[in-house]
Amino acid sequence: MASPEPHSRALPSAWTYTDGGNILQEAQEALENYKKKDGNKVVVRFKAVGNAPIMKQNFYKITASNRFQAVIQFLRKELGWKQGDPLFTYINLAFSPAPDDTVANLFKSFSTEGHLIVNYSTTAAWG
């Protein structure tokens, strides 16, 4: 019994050069721009809530491309708190941002007078 012949039709590729390679070049440039770190900095102002200790310096410039998790880690370091110590953070006394939000997006959406205000507490203060 003879084996069936494989189909010789080729499927079109998504990366075919229909316009002389410009699509591939544009995609490569977009990828390179995405990989670049944003060197812009934003001013973050930390404010204590409740019985949280007040920081001596409460204004800091933080790289805008950082995730909010980096702000939380920075705050823990400045306060001298361990990973297991309770720390609750809020933006403008209103909501707790997700750790994977970028500082730039939070600043663009919720800055007040040129600052991103981050309130911090040892206990849950708002929902």
Side-chain angles (χ1 to χ4, degrees):
M1 188 174 207
S3 64
E5 283 188 39
H7 297 290
S8 62
R9 294 191 320 184
L11 295 174
S13 171
W15 293 100
T16 54
Y17 297 102
T18 57
D19 65 348
N22 286 338
I23 293 175
L24 185 58
Q25 181 181 353
E26 288 176 12
Q28 188 66 31
E29 288 173 5
L31 182 61
E32 291 302 319
N33 285 338
Y34 178 76
K35 287 181 181 179
K36 289 181 185 174
K37 278 283 190 186
D38 184 5
N40 294 332
K41 301 233 179 202
V42 299
V43 177
V44 175
R45 181 177 182 188
F46 294 104
K47 287 186 171 184
V49 175
N51 63 349
I54 298 172
M55 299 170 69
K56 290 181 182 177
Q57 179 183 344
N58 58 359
F59 288 93
Y60 292 90
K61 286 188 177 180
I62 296 180
T63 305
S65 61
N66 282 345
R67 303 268 181 222
F68 192 72
Q69 179 64 38
V71 175
I72 296 170
Q73 291 171 343
F74 174 80
L75 183 58
R76 279 189 183 281
K77 185 179 116 192
E78 289 297 310
L79 294 171
W81 288 356
K82 299 178 191 116
Q83 189 64 27
D85 294 340
L87 176 63
F88 298 88
T89 55
Y90 303 94
I91 301 294
N92 295 338
L93 297 174
F95 72 98
S96 183
D100 63 342
D101 283 336
T102 62
V103 174
N105 286 343
L106 292 169
F107 182 80
K108 286 176 191 173
S109 301
F110 304 106
S111 65
T112 304
E113 298 177 3
H115 305 114
L116 178 64
I117 298 174
V118 177
N119 307 96
Y120 60 97
S121 177
T122 58
T123 59
W126 293 274

